[in-house]
Amino acid sequence: MILGMGTDLCMISRIERSIDRFGDRFLDRVFTEAERSHAERLSGQARTGSYAKRWAAKEACVKALGTGVAEGVQLQDIGVLNDQKGAPRLVLSGGAQLALERLTPSGCRADVLVSLTDDPPFALAQVIIQSVRV
């Protein structure tokens, strides 16, 4: 059963301007250490695109959770990592994890699925939260 779905479209240049204007203050407030480590291995458009896709994924996730950036959910509570094959996956903590637990029916576990893409000047993310009986 689908519990929530969210999509976000982001202008890569908007994230680039925030990084240029606020630097580490912006990056530390929004992105996890693992996300920053991943993005900082890249350069130029790939680096900025990585941050923009992760921004879009966080925004799509709070939409899927039905909370927005409120109810104790912060963007740092949503981490976008890549598995061994390079596929993105979401790791929730703090307020985002609590929101997911409230959303998940008894006797089920929640799977949080994410898809990311970028095609400058845009980055896009879609998040689907589904429940699976245990």
Side-chain angles (χ1 to χ4, degrees):
M1 171 174 58
I2 302 294
L3 301 176
M5 185 176 82
T7 302
D8 192 70
L9 180 67
C10 172
M11 292 287 294
I12 295 171
S13 61
R14 178 174 162 239
I15 300 304
E16 184 174 34
R17 283 192 307 274
S18 293
I19 293 169
D20 290 345
R21 183 172 178 196
F22 301 108
D24 285 337
R25 202 171 69 202
F26 170 73
L27 295 172
D28 289 341
R29 184 173 51 92
V30 175
F31 299 100
T32 66
E33 188 174 315
E35 290 170 317
R36 291 192 64 185
S37 176
H38 174 80
E40 293 302 323
R41 288 192 304 247
L42 308 170
S43 62
Q45 188 71 28
R47 175 181 173 265
T48 309
S50 177
Y51 280 125
K53 285 185 285 191
R54 281 155 176 74
W55 171 275
K58 293 167 184 279
E59 291 287 327
C61 185
V62 297
K63 292 172 185 175
L65 289 170
T67 62
V69 183
E71 299 180 31
V73 177
Q74 299 175 31
L75 294 178
Q76 271 263 341
D77 294 340
I78 303 162
V80 184
L81 304 177
N82 295 87
D83 68 16
Q84 293 173 344
K85 295 181 181 180
R89 64 184 180 87
L90 290 180
V91 177
L92 305 186
S93 62
Q97 180 63 38
L98 292 173
L100 181 64
E101 291 169 6
R102 286 191 303 269
L103 191 63
T104 306
S106 179
C108 294
R109 76 167 198 279
D111 286 340
V112 183
L113 310 172
V114 62
S115 180
L116 307 174
T117 190
D118 65 331
D119 188 7
F122 301 108
L124 176 77
Q126 182 173 30
V127 172
I128 297 173
I129 301 173
Q130 65 181 1
S131 67
V132 179
R133 289 243 175 246
V134 289

